[in-house]
Amino acid sequence: DEVVELDKRSGFYLQSTVNRISTFTGITVGIVAIVLNVINLVVLKHQKTLSPYVYLKWIAVCDLLTGAAIIWFAVCTYTDFLQHSPAIRLLAYWTLVPSYFLRSTFANGTAHLVVALGLDRVIAVRYPMKRALWCTAKKAHMASAILVAAGIIPNFHIFFRITMIYFPDPKNGLMIPRLQFTKEGNDPAVSMAVSYMKFLVKQLIPLVMMIATSFLTISEIVKSQKFRKKSNTLKANKKMQCLGVTVGVIVIFVITNTPFAVYSFLLTVNKSAYGAKGVAAIALALAEFIPWSNCFLNFFVYIFFNVTFRQEAIRIFFCRNKAVASPHTIHTNVTELSSIENKITATN
């Protein structure tokens, strides 16, 4: 009996520790995602209205909303909050499943948008004559809206497979709302089908397409490098910055999502991988947030690759006003322009 009681206490302590780590990591990731993506949107608002920047704006919106959903999900699953606040218990009961759905949907929307961004750059580099027809800002907005809405499809099963129940807390017996599989969710055949669908649609296909578009883009850049040297240097630098941002966003997404994709595949083919204990459970709780770090890492990609973004972000961070040309400078420029026009007229 003492051994059983000791196992229960150690299990409760481990569960409580994992719950605290998951909650505060989720809140931290969510806050950072919201702050940095607000900066992304403010800075990108001043960028040129080109198709890649349209996709980047939509990605920032999805990442921001994902961060908000992560925060709320973390709050509604933190046992201490639920124990001390009847209001949070009530809100958790009615909003935890929708927040779980929205978190996954916006994350899928981001994956779709990153794929679209890669395809947009492949078209622009490989078919430059058709870029003006295919890669327009209007079409990018339409494609982004459709792709974000398409994120609903692989997550709609959540409402049929997951529900909320009140479960007695082992510490004080208080009824705490918890996520629970429905009868359909517990069906082994349904669970297996959903697991394979999630791995294929949400992870494998997007990752393969991102890697493929990155490879095609980089190979086309290498092939056309000698032609770029003959073209206008400033124009070439701007194109390289845009392509650098695109490849950087894709690489960050692949790096942060590949480990979780492999882990999901292992769980799909080997259910015994569930139920990690001890240090492994804590490490797994932290590792699950690696894919969610993608919600704010794009900011650092923009800072590194895009000079204009970096300068504008620094200006916003230090609350500096935009540099405005002085009246004397404007008057001088106008005078010089008039003088040039007079010389041209006299020559004619």
Side-chain angles (χ1 to χ4, degrees):
D1 292 341
E2 291 181 358
V3 174
V4 172
E5 183 65 24
L6 182 61
D7 287 341
K8 287 182 179 179
R9 289 182 180 179
S10 61
F12 175 76
Y13 178 76
L14 175 62
Q15 184 180 5
S16 177
T17 303
V18 171
N19 182 249
R20 284 193 176 94
I21 292 173
S22 298
T23 299
F24 289 108
T25 305
I27 291 174
T28 302
V29 169
I31 291 174
V32 174
I34 290 174
V35 171
L36 294 186
N37 281 292
V38 167
I39 297 175
N40 287 345
L41 289 171
V42 172
V43 177
L44 290 172
K45 182 180 178 181
H46 301 290
Q47 300 283 342
K48 290 183 178 180
T49 311
L50 301 174
S51 56
Y53 292 111
V54 171
Y55 289 117
L56 293 178
K57 290 175 187 176
W58 278 83
I59 289 172
V61 171
C62 284
D63 285 343
L64 189 152
L65 294 175
T66 302
I70 290 173
I71 291 175
W72 186 244
F73 187 85
V75 169
C76 290
T77 53
Y78 186 41
T79 304
D80 287 358
F81 287 162
L82 294 171
Q83 288 175 344
H84 294 91
S85 176
I88 292 181
R89 289 199 296 271
L90 181 62
L91 287 172
Y93 183 83
W94 292 107
T95 64
L96 195 55
V97 174
S99 68
Y100 180 65
F101 169 78
L102 291 175
R103 185 184 68 170
S104 299
T105 298
F106 288 127
N108 278 126
T110 299
H112 297 164
L113 291 169
V114 174
V115 171
L117 176 63
L119 291 172
D120 179 271
R121 292 298 85 199
V122 169
I123 293 172
V125 174
R126 196 162 191 173
Y127 308 103
M129 301 302 293
K130 297 181 180 181
R131 181 181 65 83
L133 178 63
W134 293 352
C135 303
T136 64
K138 183 177 180 181
K139 289 182 179 180
H141 278 296
M142 293 176 60
S144 298
I146 294 171
L147 290 171
V148 172
I152 296 173
I153 298 173
N155 295 291
F156 203 72
H157 67 90
I158 290 174
F159 291 110
F160 298 98
R161 298 182 61 243
I162 299 177
T163 188
M164 295 296 298
I165 64 166
Y166 280 102
F167 190 81
D169 185 77
K171 186 176 181 180
N172 52 23
L174 190 67
M175 301 302 288
I176 301 294
R178 300 289 187 190
L179 291 171
Q180 178 74 20
F181 281 115
T182 62
K183 181 179 179 182
E184 293 79 10
N186 281 318
D187 188 298
V190 174
S191 297
M192 183 63 66
V194 170
S195 296
Y196 277 107
M197 182 273 295
K198 287 168 60 178
F199 174 72
L200 185 67
V201 176
K202 298 175 67 174
Q203 294 165 348
L204 184 62
I205 293 177
L207 288 174
V208 169
M209 292 189 69
M210 289 175 199
I211 294 171
T213 54
S214 297
F215 177 79
L216 288 173
T217 303
I218 293 172
S219 63
E220 289 296 328
I221 293 173
V222 172
K223 289 179 183 179
S224 61
Q225 194 66 31
K226 58 181 180 180
F227 298 104
R228 290 185 181 278
K229 292 179 181 178
K230 298 178 182 179
S231 64
N232 182 270
T233 305
L234 179 60
K235 187 176 180 180
N237 286 338
K238 288 183 178 179
K239 288 183 178 179
M240 290 299 292
Q241 286 183 28
C242 185
L243 292 169
V245 168
T246 302
V247 174
V249 169
I250 292 174
V251 169
I252 288 294
F253 194 97
V254 170
I255 291 174
T256 55
N257 283 268
T258 298
F260 188 74
V262 173
Y263 174 70
S264 298
F265 177 74
L266 293 175
L267 290 183
T268 300
V269 299
N270 182 18
K271 296 298 182 182
S272 63
Y274 281 105
K277 297 181 180 180
V279 177
I282 297 174
L284 182 59
L286 291 171
E288 287 180 351
F289 283 94
I290 294 176
W292 300 119
S293 66
N294 183 68
C295 296
F296 61 83
L297 289 177
N298 287 341
F299 172 82
F300 300 101
V301 174
Y302 306 155
I303 287 288
F304 184 79
F305 284 104
N306 194 301
V307 176
T308 305
F309 185 96
R310 181 164 62 248
Q311 292 173 346
E312 187 69 12
I314 291 172
R315 184 189 68 80
I316 292 173
F317 184 79
F318 289 102
C319 301
R320 296 173 182 171
N321 295 324
K322 278 190 173 182
V324 180
S326 64
H328 175 72
T329 304
I330 295 174
H331 176 73
T332 303
N333 292 337
V334 172
T335 303
E336 290 177 354
L337 181 60
S338 300
S339 176
I340 293 171
E341 290 177 348
N342 292 333
K343 288 180 181 179
I344 293 173
T345 303
T347 303
N348 294 335

PDB file of all heavy atoms in Angstrom, residues 30 34 64-75 98-104 106:
ATOM      1  N   GLY A  30       3.175  32.458 -26.600  1.00  0.00           N
ATOM      2  CA  GLY A  30       2.057  33.226 -27.124  1.00  0.00           C
ATOM      3  C   GLY A  30       2.272  34.725 -27.042  1.00  0.00           C
ATOM      4  O   GLY A  30       1.985  35.460 -28.002  1.00  0.00           O
ATOM      5  N   ILE A  34       2.624  37.284 -30.245  1.00  0.00           N
ATOM      6  CA  ILE A  34       1.736  38.428 -30.453  1.00  0.00           C
ATOM      7  C   ILE A  34       2.541  39.711 -30.631  1.00  0.00           C
ATOM      8  O   ILE A  34       2.310  40.485 -31.567  1.00  0.00           O
ATOM      9  CB  ILE A  34       0.745  38.556 -29.275  1.00  0.00           C
ATOM     10  CG1 ILE A  34      -0.263  37.407 -29.305  1.00  0.00           C
ATOM     11  CG2 ILE A  34       0.014  39.898 -29.334  1.00  0.00           C
ATOM     12  CD1 ILE A  34      -1.177  37.363 -28.107  1.00  0.00           C
ATOM     13  N   LEU A  64      -0.011  35.495 -35.281  1.00  0.00           N
ATOM     14  CA  LEU A  64      -0.519  36.282 -34.153  1.00  0.00           C
ATOM     15  C   LEU A  64      -1.731  35.597 -33.518  1.00  0.00           C
ATOM     16  O   LEU A  64      -1.815  35.456 -32.285  1.00  0.00           O
ATOM     17  CB  LEU A  64      -0.888  37.683 -34.629  1.00  0.00           C
ATOM     18  CG  LEU A  64      -1.249  38.732 -33.564  1.00  0.00           C
ATOM     19  CD1 LEU A  64      -0.924  40.128 -34.073  1.00  0.00           C
ATOM     20  CD2 LEU A  64      -2.738  38.682 -33.205  1.00  0.00           C
ATOM     21  N   LEU A  65      -2.676  35.154 -34.356  1.00  0.00           N
ATOM     22  CA  LEU A  65      -3.882  34.484 -33.841  1.00  0.00           C
ATOM     23  C   LEU A  65      -3.534  33.128 -33.226  1.00  0.00           C
ATOM     24  O   LEU A  65      -4.157  32.720 -32.236  1.00  0.00           O
ATOM     25  CB  LEU A  65      -4.896  34.313 -34.970  1.00  0.00           C
ATOM     26  CG  LEU A  65      -5.466  35.624 -35.529  1.00  0.00           C
ATOM     27  CD1 LEU A  65      -6.360  35.349 -36.734  1.00  0.00           C
ATOM     28  CD2 LEU A  65      -6.241  36.384 -34.458  1.00  0.00           C
ATOM     29  N   THR A  66      -2.542  32.455 -33.788  1.00  0.00           N
ATOM     30  CA  THR A  66      -2.075  31.201 -33.181  1.00  0.00           C
ATOM     31  C   THR A  66      -1.506  31.460 -31.794  1.00  0.00           C
ATOM     32  O   THR A  66      -1.767  30.699 -30.849  1.00  0.00           O
ATOM     33  CB  THR A  66      -1.006  30.539 -34.067  1.00  0.00           C
ATOM     34  OG1 THR A  66      -1.542  30.298 -35.366  1.00  0.00           O
ATOM     35  CG2 THR A  66      -0.543  29.224 -33.465  1.00  0.00           C
ATOM     36  N   GLY A  67      -0.732  32.541 -31.666  1.00  0.00           N
ATOM     37  CA  GLY A  67      -0.185  32.906 -30.358  1.00  0.00           C
ATOM     38  C   GLY A  67      -1.280  33.180 -29.337  1.00  0.00           C
ATOM     39  O   GLY A  67      -1.188  32.745 -28.177  1.00  0.00           O
ATOM     40  N   ALA A  68      -2.342  33.887 -29.763  1.00  0.00           N
ATOM     41  CA  ALA A  68      -3.462  34.163 -28.855  1.00  0.00           C
ATOM     42  C   ALA A  68      -4.153  32.864 -28.437  1.00  0.00           C
ATOM     43  O   ALA A  68      -4.510  32.691 -27.257  1.00  0.00           O
ATOM     44  CB  ALA A  68      -4.452  35.107 -29.538  1.00  0.00           C
ATOM     45  N   ALA A  69      -4.344  31.944 -29.392  1.00  0.00           N
ATOM     46  CA  ALA A  69      -4.973  30.663 -29.074  1.00  0.00           C
ATOM     47  C   ALA A  69      -4.103  29.829 -28.140  1.00  0.00           C
ATOM     48  O   ALA A  69      -4.606  29.127 -27.256  1.00  0.00           O
ATOM     49  CB  ALA A  69      -5.264  29.896 -30.369  1.00  0.00           C
ATOM     50  N   ILE A  70      -2.775  29.894 -28.331  1.00  0.00           N
ATOM     51  CA  ILE A  70      -1.854  29.162 -27.450  1.00  0.00           C
ATOM     52  C   ILE A  70      -1.973  29.674 -26.015  1.00  0.00           C
ATOM     53  O   ILE A  70      -2.002  28.887 -25.054  1.00  0.00           O
ATOM     54  CB  ILE A  70      -0.405  29.307 -27.958  1.00  0.00           C
ATOM     55  CG1 ILE A  70      -0.211  28.526 -29.254  1.00  0.00           C
ATOM     56  CG2 ILE A  70       0.591  28.811 -26.907  1.00  0.00           C
ATOM     57  CD1 ILE A  70       1.137  28.754 -29.903  1.00  0.00           C
ATOM     58  N   ILE A  71      -2.045  30.994 -25.851  1.00  0.00           N
ATOM     59  CA  ILE A  71      -2.167  31.573 -24.508  1.00  0.00           C
ATOM     60  C   ILE A  71      -3.449  31.104 -23.832  1.00  0.00           C
ATOM     61  O   ILE A  71      -3.442  30.658 -22.676  1.00  0.00           O
ATOM     62  CB  ILE A  71      -2.135  33.109 -24.576  1.00  0.00           C
ATOM     63  CG1 ILE A  71      -0.751  33.603 -24.987  1.00  0.00           C
ATOM     64  CG2 ILE A  71      -2.523  33.726 -23.228  1.00  0.00           C
ATOM     65  CD1 ILE A  71      -0.668  35.105 -25.206  1.00  0.00           C
ATOM     66  N   TRP A  72      -4.554  31.199 -24.562  1.00  0.00           N
ATOM     67  CA  TRP A  72      -5.838  30.835 -23.946  1.00  0.00           C
ATOM     68  C   TRP A  72      -5.889  29.341 -23.627  1.00  0.00           C
ATOM     69  O   TRP A  72      -6.409  28.940 -22.588  1.00  0.00           O
ATOM     70  CB  TRP A  72      -7.000  31.220 -24.853  1.00  0.00           C
ATOM     71  CG  TRP A  72      -8.331  30.991 -24.215  1.00  0.00           C
ATOM     72  CD1 TRP A  72      -9.303  30.134 -24.605  1.00  0.00           C
ATOM     73  CD2 TRP A  72      -8.818  31.613 -23.015  1.00  0.00           C
ATOM     74  NE1 TRP A  72     -10.371  30.177 -23.750  1.00  0.00           N
ATOM     75  CE2 TRP A  72     -10.095  31.074 -22.752  1.00  0.00           C
ATOM     76  CE3 TRP A  72      -8.297  32.569 -22.148  1.00  0.00           C
ATOM     77  CZ2 TRP A  72     -10.857  31.473 -21.672  1.00  0.00           C
ATOM     78  CZ3 TRP A  72      -9.057  32.959 -21.054  1.00  0.00           C
ATOM     79  CH2 TRP A  72     -10.324  32.426 -20.826  1.00  0.00           C
ATOM     80  N   PHE A  73      -5.348  28.513 -24.517  1.00  0.00           N
ATOM     81  CA  PHE A  73      -5.321  27.081 -24.259  1.00  0.00           C
ATOM     82  C   PHE A  73      -4.483  26.779 -23.025  1.00  0.00           C
ATOM     83  O   PHE A  73      -4.847  25.924 -22.202  1.00  0.00           O
ATOM     84  CB  PHE A  73      -4.764  26.346 -25.479  1.00  0.00           C
ATOM     85  CG  PHE A  73      -4.856  24.847 -25.388  1.00  0.00           C
ATOM     86  CD1 PHE A  73      -6.015  24.195 -25.760  1.00  0.00           C
ATOM     87  CD2 PHE A  73      -3.784  24.098 -24.916  1.00  0.00           C
ATOM     88  CE1 PHE A  73      -6.109  22.813 -25.665  1.00  0.00           C
ATOM     89  CE2 PHE A  73      -3.865  22.722 -24.821  1.00  0.00           C
ATOM     90  CZ  PHE A  73      -5.031  22.072 -25.199  1.00  0.00           C
ATOM     91  N   ALA A  74      -3.358  27.482 -22.870  1.00  0.00           N
ATOM     92  CA  ALA A  74      -2.494  27.276 -21.705  1.00  0.00           C
ATOM     93  C   ALA A  74      -3.197  27.697 -20.416  1.00  0.00           C
ATOM     94  O   ALA A  74      -3.108  27.003 -19.398  1.00  0.00           O
ATOM     95  CB  ALA A  74      -1.193  28.060 -21.880  1.00  0.00           C
ATOM     96  N   VAL A  75      -3.900  28.824 -20.466  1.00  0.00           N
ATOM     97  CA  VAL A  75      -4.616  29.306 -19.279  1.00  0.00           C
ATOM     98  C   VAL A  75      -5.717  28.319 -18.874  1.00  0.00           C
ATOM     99  O   VAL A  75      -5.901  28.008 -17.690  1.00  0.00           O
ATOM    100  CB  VAL A  75      -5.208  30.705 -19.549  1.00  0.00           C
ATOM    101  CG1 VAL A  75      -6.179  31.117 -18.432  1.00  0.00           C
ATOM    102  CG2 VAL A  75      -4.092  31.738 -19.680  1.00  0.00           C
ATOM    103  N   PRO A  98     -12.938  24.874 -28.860  1.00  0.00           N
ATOM    104  CA  PRO A  98     -12.772  25.845 -29.958  1.00  0.00           C
ATOM    105  C   PRO A  98     -11.365  26.446 -30.038  1.00  0.00           C
ATOM    106  O   PRO A  98     -10.850  26.652 -31.140  1.00  0.00           O
ATOM    107  CB  PRO A  98     -13.808  26.935 -29.627  1.00  0.00           C
ATOM    108  CG  PRO A  98     -14.853  26.222 -28.850  1.00  0.00           C
ATOM    109  CD  PRO A  98     -14.116  25.207 -28.033  1.00  0.00           C
ATOM    110  N   SER A  99     -10.738  26.722 -28.885  1.00  0.00           N
ATOM    111  CA  SER A  99      -9.387  27.285 -28.918  1.00  0.00           C
ATOM    112  C   SER A  99      -8.382  26.266 -29.434  1.00  0.00           C
ATOM    113  O   SER A  99      -7.444  26.613 -30.163  1.00  0.00           O
ATOM    114  CB  SER A  99      -8.971  27.776 -27.519  1.00  0.00           C
ATOM    115  OG  SER A  99      -8.800  26.685 -26.623  1.00  0.00           O
ATOM    116  N   TYR A 100      -8.583  25.001 -29.091  1.00  0.00           N
ATOM    117  CA  TYR A 100      -7.734  23.933 -29.625  1.00  0.00           C
ATOM    118  C   TYR A 100      -7.896  23.836 -31.144  1.00  0.00           C
ATOM    119  O   TYR A 100      -6.919  23.688 -31.887  1.00  0.00           O
ATOM    120  CB  TYR A 100      -8.116  22.618 -28.958  1.00  0.00           C
ATOM    121  CG  TYR A 100      -7.330  21.419 -29.405  1.00  0.00           C
ATOM    122  CD1 TYR A 100      -5.969  21.325 -29.154  1.00  0.00           C
ATOM    123  CD2 TYR A 100      -7.944  20.368 -30.076  1.00  0.00           C
ATOM    124  CE1 TYR A 100      -5.236  20.214 -29.557  1.00  0.00           C
ATOM    125  CE2 TYR A 100      -7.229  19.252 -30.487  1.00  0.00           C
ATOM    126  CZ  TYR A 100      -5.878  19.179 -30.225  1.00  0.00           C
ATOM    127  OH  TYR A 100      -5.154  18.094 -30.634  1.00  0.00           O
ATOM    128  N   PHE A 101      -9.143  23.948 -31.605  1.00  0.00           N
ATOM    129  CA  PHE A 101      -9.435  23.918 -33.041  1.00  0.00           C
ATOM    130  C   PHE A 101      -8.803  25.116 -33.755  1.00  0.00           C
ATOM    131  O   PHE A 101      -8.168  24.964 -34.805  1.00  0.00           O
ATOM    132  CB  PHE A 101     -10.949  23.909 -33.248  1.00  0.00           C
ATOM    133  CG  PHE A 101     -11.373  24.150 -34.668  1.00  0.00           C
ATOM    134  CD1 PHE A 101     -11.302  23.139 -35.610  1.00  0.00           C
ATOM    135  CD2 PHE A 101     -11.845  25.393 -35.051  1.00  0.00           C
ATOM    136  CE1 PHE A 101     -11.686  23.365 -36.931  1.00  0.00           C
ATOM    137  CE2 PHE A 101     -12.238  25.626 -36.364  1.00  0.00           C
ATOM    138  CZ  PHE A 101     -12.163  24.615 -37.305  1.00  0.00           C
ATOM    139  N   LEU A 102      -8.954  26.322 -33.187  1.00  0.00           N
ATOM    140  CA  LEU A 102      -8.411  27.519 -33.822  1.00  0.00           C
ATOM    141  C   LEU A 102      -6.883  27.503 -33.840  1.00  0.00           C
ATOM    142  O   LEU A 102      -6.258  27.921 -34.819  1.00  0.00           O
ATOM    143  CB  LEU A 102      -8.914  28.770 -33.093  1.00  0.00           C
ATOM    144  CG  LEU A 102     -10.405  29.077 -33.243  1.00  0.00           C
ATOM    145  CD1 LEU A 102     -10.784  30.260 -32.361  1.00  0.00           C
ATOM    146  CD2 LEU A 102     -10.746  29.387 -34.701  1.00  0.00           C
ATOM    147  N   ARG A 103      -6.286  27.028 -32.774  1.00  0.00           N
ATOM    148  CA  ARG A 103      -4.822  26.938 -32.724  1.00  0.00           C
ATOM    149  C   ARG A 103      -4.303  26.056 -33.854  1.00  0.00           C
ATOM    150  O   ARG A 103      -3.370  26.428 -34.579  1.00  0.00           O
ATOM    151  CB  ARG A 103      -4.382  26.373 -31.372  1.00  0.00           C
ATOM    152  CG  ARG A 103      -2.878  26.356 -31.160  1.00  0.00           C
ATOM    153  CD  ARG A 103      -2.507  25.705 -29.845  1.00  0.00           C
ATOM    154  NE  ARG A 103      -2.785  24.273 -29.827  1.00  0.00           N
ATOM    155  CZ  ARG A 103      -2.381  23.437 -28.870  1.00  0.00           C
ATOM    156  NH1 ARG A 103      -1.683  23.904 -27.843  1.00  0.00           N
ATOM    157  NH2 ARG A 103      -2.674  22.157 -28.919  1.00  0.00           N
ATOM    158  N   SER A 104      -4.922  24.900 -34.044  1.00  0.00           N
ATOM    159  CA  SER A 104      -4.491  23.992 -35.107  1.00  0.00           C
ATOM    160  C   SER A 104      -4.824  24.549 -36.483  1.00  0.00           C
ATOM    161  O   SER A 104      -4.038  24.395 -37.432  1.00  0.00           O
ATOM    162  CB  SER A 104      -5.161  22.623 -34.921  1.00  0.00           C
ATOM    163  OG  SER A 104      -4.796  22.037 -33.692  1.00  0.00           O
ATOM    164  N   PHE A 106      -5.170  27.794 -37.508  1.00  0.00           N
ATOM    165  CA  PHE A 106      -4.279  28.891 -37.905  1.00  0.00           C
ATOM    166  C   PHE A 106      -2.859  28.388 -38.166  1.00  0.00           C
ATOM    167  O   PHE A 106      -2.160  28.914 -39.039  1.00  0.00           O
ATOM    168  CB  PHE A 106      -4.284  29.984 -36.847  1.00  0.00           C
ATOM    169  CG  PHE A 106      -5.555  30.776 -36.802  1.00  0.00           C
ATOM    170  CD1 PHE A 106      -6.250  30.935 -35.619  1.00  0.00           C
ATOM    171  CD2 PHE A 106      -6.065  31.360 -37.950  1.00  0.00           C
ATOM    172  CE1 PHE A 106      -7.433  31.657 -35.569  1.00  0.00           C
ATOM    173  CE2 PHE A 106      -7.250  32.087 -37.915  1.00  0.00           C
ATOM    174  CZ  PHE A 106      -7.935  32.228 -36.729  1.00  0.00           C
TER     175      PHE A 106
END
